[in-house]
Amino acid sequence: MNVRQDVRDASADPFGERSGQQLCVHRQILGARFRFESTSEALMQLVETAYAGLPPQQLPMAGPEFRIDLRLLPRQSRADHAEPPPVQAQSGAGLLSGVMDASNYVVLSPAQRRGLVVASQDMLSRPYHLRYELIEFAVFTLAARGIGLVPLHGACVGRQGRGILLLGASGSGKSTLALHCLLQGLDFLAEDAVFVQPESLLATGVANYLHVQGDVLRLVEDGPARHWIGGSPVIRRRSGVDKFEADLRAGHGRLAKAPLELVGAVFVCSQPAEDPAILLSPVSAGDIAARLHVDQPYAATQPGWHRFGQRLTHIGVHELRRGRHPRDSVNALLSLLQ
């Protein structure tokens, strides 16, 4: 096609509404059905990389269907090695958006259960940023708003349908603790983002990847597990910290097949315990609400937060300090799951 024809086509279809043959895939995520559509095989492959092979995580009530359109734009002039700009969140007219730049952004309509993810070709060389900051941003936001889930920055592990919510500041050791829980046979629900029904305290998540720093390998005694983590790709967080991105679907440990009913929450603390035999200490009921609000500033603004806090206070919240070995922390959590 010549340049003059390209100009005529752009004038006739300035919004790209006649984009050609659509590819489509359905995935069950966070208790809801998601329909992804795109003309780009590369973007659809990234969706499969993120969500194929996950447990269905079916919630008791039938979840709605959400639709996400993914569009690939031409390459930008930015050098491949340059980190993309951080996402800037905006809202208005019933829409939510997350914008990196003019060619990489997300627009969401929770009321219509629809989302648009736009990415430039050079972002395909940054699959972590594209998946985590654009595609997962769209999925998590639509699911939380559309199903009425409280979105939490944290991890969750459990046993026999019962779960413990792991909270705490970045760097406190939540991911390392979640890894050792996985290696010691607990059911793994989520490492970075947990979504909770406030009334039932059923927790769901996406157990696709685990992100841990290289120093965890010295405490992983299982050879195959150490090889699994050490052979995983390395990503760089916005903070500048490098982490292994280990695929949890590789068969090491058990992924929770269904949502877990929370029976407790734990604030993971990086400080060592004064007495190595006593790692857990209860948080007083009067302090729980304030600590939760500080730890989860975004979730505290969402519908359902008040009821979630009430229910969590009722079941109990603890602080967990570090023991001599991560297995000691796992054993402490097991005492809450009895």
Side-chain angles (χ1 to χ4, degrees):
M1 184 179 293
N2 59 39
V3 174
R4 183 172 298 176
Q5 184 65 45
D6 285 339
V7 172
R8 286 202 300 267
D9 288 346
S11 299
D13 187 23
F15 297 102
E17 295 169 283
R18 299 195 301 276
S19 53
Q21 183 64 38
Q22 293 280 329
L23 304 171
C24 176
V25 65
H26 291 87
R27 285 286 172 257
Q28 184 79 14
I29 310 169
L30 300 175
R33 184 173 171 85
F34 277 82
R35 175 187 176 98
F36 298 92
E37 292 186 348
S38 181
T39 60
S40 167
E41 292 185 5
L43 289 179
M44 294 300 277
Q45 182 56 52
L46 195 57
V47 169
E48 287 292 88
T49 300
Y51 300 118
L54 290 173
Q57 289 291 315
Q58 184 66 56
L59 291 165
M61 79 288 197
E65 179 175 273
F66 299 95
R67 178 175 168 181
I68 296 180
D69 299 317
L70 301 105
R71 183 169 299 179
L72 190 64
L73 297 184
R75 180 178 296 273
Q76 291 185 319
S77 58
R78 183 198 310 127
D80 287 342
H81 65 271
E83 184 177 70
V87 172
Q88 301 293 323
Q90 297 288 339
S91 66
L95 302 175
L96 303 175
S97 67
V99 180
M100 283 183 175
D101 55 37
S103 298
N104 296 278
Y105 56 88
V106 177
V107 181
L108 306 173
S109 173
Q112 296 181 355
R113 300 170 181 166
R114 297 287 299 270
L116 171 67
V117 176
V118 177
S120 56
Q121 286 185 337
D122 48 296
M123 280 295 290
L124 295 175
S125 64
R126 292 282 184 176
Y128 168 72
H129 290 287
L130 175 50
R131 172 180 55 81
Y132 186 74
E133 297 185 349
L134 296 179
I135 296 176
E136 289 193 4
F137 174 88
V139 169
F140 287 170
T141 304
L142 285 176
R145 299 295 179 97
I147 307 175
L149 304 176
V150 176
L152 301 165
H153 174 57
C156 186
V157 296
R159 171 172 286 180
Q160 297 178 342
R162 296 157 62 84
I164 296 292
L165 180 64
L166 306 179
L167 304 172
S170 296
S172 61
K174 298 187 297 296
S175 296
T176 301
L177 177 57
L179 166 63
H180 284 275
C181 287
L182 176 79
L183 297 180
Q184 293 193 45
L186 274 70
D187 294 334
F188 192 103
L189 182 77
E191 171 243 358
D192 189 57
V194 181
F195 299 81
V196 181
Q197 282 187 332
E199 189 60 44
S200 66
L201 286 188
L202 284 175
T204 183
V206 176
N208 50 8
Y209 295 101
L210 175 71
H211 299 95
V212 290
Q213 294 186 54
D215 59 0
V216 305
L217 293 177
R218 61 185 176 83
L219 295 175
V220 176
E221 298 165 355
D222 180 75
R226 190 165 56 249
H227 182 267
W228 160 56
I229 298 169
S232 300
V234 175
I235 58 93
R236 173 160 290 187
R237 294 284 204 186
R238 289 288 186 180
S239 62
V241 176
D242 291 333
K243 292 192 173 186
F244 289 114
E245 185 174 62
D247 194 329
L248 289 161
R249 296 158 291 184
H252 295 273
R254 290 199 306 263
L255 304 185
K257 295 181 180 179
L260 299 177
E261 181 181 354
L262 296 181
V263 296
V266 167
F267 284 103
V268 180
C269 180
S270 60
Q271 297 179 356
E274 295 181 3
D275 183 349
I278 304 176
L279 305 186
L280 281 172
S281 59
V283 177
S284 67
D287 292 337
I288 290 176
R291 289 197 63 169
L292 286 173
H293 195 281
V294 170
D295 191 69
Q296 304 289 329
Y298 171 68
T301 67
Q302 300 304 299
W305 173 259
H306 179 68
R307 183 54 178 158
F308 167 74
Q310 286 181 324
R311 298 282 285 116
L312 211 58
T313 300
H314 177 72
I315 63 175
V317 178
H318 289 75
E319 181 179 82
L320 175 69
R321 297 207 171 194
R322 291 190 178 182
R324 295 190 180 97
H325 191 278
R327 73 168 66 90
D328 299 328
S329 298
V330 177
N331 290 334
L333 294 183
L334 284 171
S335 70
L336 298 178
L337 288 167
Q338 301 299 326

